[in-house]
Amino acid sequence: MSSSIAAASSIGVKANALTRVSKRAINSKPAVVCSASSKSDDVAVGSSQDAVTRRQALAAGAAVTATLGASTPALAGLLDGALDGALTLGGGDVKEKRAVNLPELQIEFISREEGYPLANGGEKGRAQQQYLKFIEPVIVANIDLPYSEYMRLALHDAGTYEVVGKKNGANGSIRFELDRPENALCKKAFASIEKIKKAVDATVTQPISYADLIAIVPHFAARIQFAKDYYEVMGEDDPNYEFLFIGTNPYLGAKMRIGRKDADGPDPEGLVPGEDASTEDLVAWFKRMGLGPNQLVMFAPYMYENPAKGLDLAVQDGTNASVANQYESQRKLGKRAPGPAVTIIKKLKDMTDNCIPGGPPYVGGDRDPNYVEYAYIRGGGEIPRVTTFGAYPGSSDLGSSKFAQKVRGDR
């Protein structure tokens, strides 16, 4: 018995000595580190290396304590508590500590009337883009016509625009004008838009306007066709589509805008030329909308059921003919080239972004835009403030503080 006590005392003295050495190594200025020799497995001690950190020294002490406990059964029980403490020197889970120390994140939705004066235009624009990205899969899943059909519908809806006075235009009024002879070819596309709108409205908290759907669906429908044409030539495993066709991406090159308001009745008659239109009629039409030969020649193949009819009418004007030649040189590059696709998307944007009643809204120009919800947020590391979310279920979780989301374990 006395011999085991003596052994324990001896080991205790050695442990205390090791502890004092560890402390001295930490507090002394000369740095002591272990470095592996390239010639042998021996460990060399050098004073010119970085200092041992406190955590490394404590971890080494814990390892010594564990070795002593394993080699001396008499001390195993005494060292259990010390060993448990030594193995949790990391300070526990930082996320758990933050969760305890931070107040709970609270999101209180407020009315649009209360919220919109307190949020800036950039926040509102981001909320609208959240909304657009949320509905994109719904739109794409319900597109069932060639993009030329949607292009024609968009042209006829925006085609009533008058740049002088900034009247009429891309406002969804086409739904009241389908009985007019010039809009007869738009019925099929509008029926598809109706189906897409029902699908979108079933998934969001604020219904999308007809004007917005008519303006943005051609973007997605065109990209479907661009990708199909590209992969037919380059193969399904070609990785370069997005890189080459970035100018057609609605969130990058194309930068689609939403927030157009719906008209509650038809626009005046006689503003959109019909089947018997002349070249002069088409030129005057686009001029009245504030557009020119670039937009006219791009839209010409989509004006009538026979694509050649519109293009033949357009090129009878000399300026239009030179623009058409430029476009044709782009097409000669082949289906794998982005030139024609980028031109189509850019000119579509020129029309749908500018031919809006009252003119194109700038960022923040509409104090209370569509598809934006507001909330008061506080706690979770956030400074109390009014913030914006896209108008669809669950968007408040995506829009809250990233730091608070990490604390809650959402990210």
Side-chain angles (χ1 to χ4, degrees):
M1 179 71 176
S2 60
S3 62
S4 63
I5 293 175
S9 299
S10 173
I11 290 171
V13 170
K14 290 180 180 178
N16 288 334
L18 283 169
T19 303
R20 287 196 298 273
V21 169
S22 297
K23 289 182 178 179
R24 193 179 302 118
I26 295 165
N27 295 328
S28 62
K29 291 184 179 179
V32 180
V33 300
C34 294
S35 60
S37 170
S38 60
K39 294 183 179 180
S40 68
D41 294 333
D42 297 336
V43 176
V45 178
S47 61
S48 62
Q49 304 296 322
D50 295 337
V52 173
T53 65
R54 181 173 181 273
R55 182 170 292 184
Q56 288 171 333
L58 291 174
V64 171
T65 305
T67 302
L68 291 174
S71 61
T72 312
L75 291 181
L78 296 175
L79 295 176
D80 279 346
L83 183 59
D84 290 341
L87 293 179
T88 58
L89 294 174
D93 191 343
V94 175
K95 185 183 292 186
E96 289 183 4
K97 283 190 173 183
R98 286 176 176 169
V100 171
N101 294 333
L102 286 174
E104 181 182 356
L105 181 69
Q106 297 182 35
I107 301 172
E108 300 172 4
F109 283 92
I110 58 179
S111 67
R112 297 175 69 179
E113 292 75 17
E114 185 181 354
Y116 77 77
L118 304 176
N120 64 43
E123 292 173 336
K124 296 170 186 175
R126 283 189 291 273
Q128 285 188 329
Q129 288 301 304
Q130 280 184 6
Y131 182 98
L132 181 57
K133 288 184 178 180
F134 179 78
I135 66 174
E136 177 188 4
V138 181
I139 293 174
V140 171
N142 286 278
I143 287 174
D144 54 4
L145 293 174
Y147 77 93
S148 57
E149 299 283 343
Y150 298 112
M151 287 282 194
R152 185 185 302 118
L153 179 66
L155 174 61
H156 281 235
D157 188 43
T160 56
Y161 186 65
E162 298 181 70
V163 69
V164 177
K166 299 180 179 179
K167 300 179 294 185
N168 313 317
N171 57 8
S173 65
I174 187 74
R175 66 192 192 278
F176 304 114
E177 303 157 7
L178 292 173
D179 58 340
R180 297 176 182 175
E182 65 270 21
N183 294 330
L185 293 176
C186 296
K187 293 180 180 179
K188 185 165 46 173
F190 184 76
S192 179
I193 291 291
E194 284 271 37
K195 183 186 76 169
I196 294 171
K197 179 170 167 53
K198 288 179 181 178
V200 169
D201 289 351
T203 65
V204 294
T205 55
Q206 286 185 28
I208 192 168
S209 69
Y210 284 101
D212 271 339
L213 266 187
I214 291 169
I216 66 178
V217 166
H219 284 263
F220 297 113
R223 275 179 61 82
I224 291 172
Q225 188 62 49
F226 298 158
K228 180 180 177 182
D229 292 345
Y230 180 82
Y231 289 124
E232 279 180 358
V233 175
M234 302 303 293
E236 290 293 337
D237 57 344
D238 188 282
N240 296 317
Y241 174 76
E242 285 299 336
F243 172 74
L244 291 174
F245 287 79
I246 190 172
T248 69
N249 189 307
Y251 309 112
L252 299 174
K255 298 285 184 184
M256 286 195 303
R257 294 180 183 177
I258 56 175
R260 300 168 187 81
K261 304 293 193 338
D262 278 340
D264 54 8
D267 286 342
E269 294 188 52
L271 296 176
V272 177
E275 287 280 343
D276 57 349
S278 66
T279 301
E280 291 74 19
D281 292 335
L282 298 184
V283 172
W285 179 24
F286 275 70
K287 186 175 181 179
R288 193 201 70 233
M289 289 193 288
L291 305 175
N294 287 292
Q295 292 79 20
L296 171 54
V297 173
M298 191 285 292
F299 272 106
Y302 313 122
M303 291 180 181
Y304 305 104
E305 195 165 21
N306 179 7
K309 177 179 178 179
L311 196 55
D312 289 344
L313 280 174
V315 297
Q316 291 178 30
D317 175 88
T319 305
N320 292 344
S322 9
V323 173
N325 288 335
Q326 293 176 10
Y327 289 174
E328 184 60 28
S329 66
Q330 290 181 345
R331 293 188 181 94
K332 287 179 181 177
L333 296 175
K335 292 182 177 181
R336 60 190 175 87
V342 173
T343 297
I344 289 170
I345 292 298
K346 186 177 184 304
K347 304 313 173 189
L348 172 67
K349 276 182 54 59
D350 289 344
M351 183 189 70
T352 56
D353 283 358
N354 290 287
C355 299
I356 299 174
Y362 57 91
V363 174
D366 189 343
R367 297 279 293 169
D368 183 20
N370 289 346
Y371 323 125
V372 179
E373 292 180 344
Y374 304 90
Y376 183 73
I377 183 171
R378 67 174 184 269
E382 280 281 4
I383 298 173
R385 63 187 173 90
V386 172
T387 189
T388 59
F389 308 117
Y392 62 88
S395 63
S396 60
D397 293 333
L398 296 175
S400 62
S401 164
K402 290 183 179 179
F403 176 69
Q405 290 183 55
K406 288 181 179 179
V407 169
R408 298 198 307 266
D410 295 343
R411 289 196 176 200

